Amino acid sequence: MQQTNLSTYNNHPYNPGGNALKRILWHYVNAIFFKTGLLPINGFKIAILRLFGGKIGKNVTIKPGVNIKYPWQLTVGNNTWIGEDVWLDCLIMVTIGSNVCISQGAMLLTGSHNYKKTTFDLITGNIILEDGAWIGAKAVVNQGITVATHAVLTTGSIATKNLDAYSIYQGNPAVKIRDRVIS
């Protein structure tokens, strides 16, 4: 039987963008201003994200404890709320529409590893949350997933396949449990 050998791991051809200095600077800015509650001023956080290349809409709320990897790989629409302790793993592009709610402790994971290879190769896939989507607290959206307009991923659920519009998903893996009707 083959065994995993992490000494041979190489994430080539992955390139996170930005030069090494920009990535190091972001590491510290993220740790000081986003992952902590030291500076809860939302407008300042938005300005920093834009300075680092994030495309951030109007009236976006970013709560304390949010962890963002590579904001130059992030687009957020208008009137979107990102809750406490959310992890936006922007190894590659994460696109979040308008009027989206990402609740406390949710994770958007653009990367994983190929467990079938001895080299444990990096696997990436863009994440798209379309307008009006709601990602529940402690829910996980995996790489390559699109959460269609106004879909809901309930608390603690894990999206391993695309979610249909105006549908509510629950479980691990998340399955559709009913339609979302908005009155």
Side-chain angles (χ1 to χ4, degrees), residues 68-132:
I68 301 171
K69 182 168 265 180
Y70 308 143
W72 48 91
Q73 304 274 24
L74 178 63
T75 299
V76 180
N78 299 323
N79 308 310
T80 289
W81 185 80
I82 301 171
E84 290 88 349
D85 301 320
V86 166
W87 171 216
L88 301 177
D89 183 33
C90 305
L91 291 171
I92 62 174
M93 198 66 201
V94 171
T95 304
I96 301 169
S98 295
N99 301 298
V100 171
C101 177
I102 305 173
S103 295
Q104 302 86 338
M107 296 191 306
L108 276 56
L109 305 176
T110 60
S112 188
H113 296 277
N114 187 343
Y115 63 86
K116 295 178 183 178
K117 298 269 196 172
T118 61
T119 53
F120 209 52
D121 297 349
L122 180 66
I123 300 170
T124 58
N126 296 338
I127 291 176
I128 300 170
L129 305 182
E130 293 181 356
D131 293 349

Side-chain angles (χ1 to χ4, degrees), residues 24-49 51-52 62-68 85:
I24 290 168
L25 183 58
W26 174 252
H27 173 80
Y28 289 104
V29 168
N30 187 44
I32 295 167
F33 298 118
F34 288 85
K35 290 167 76 172
T36 70
L38 292 178
L39 189 67
I41 301 168
N42 198 60
F44 181 74
K45 291 188 277 189
I46 299 300
I48 290 175
L49 286 173
L51 181 67
F52 275 88
I62 300 175
K63 294 292 192 173
V66 173
N67 187 11
I68 301 171
D85 301 320

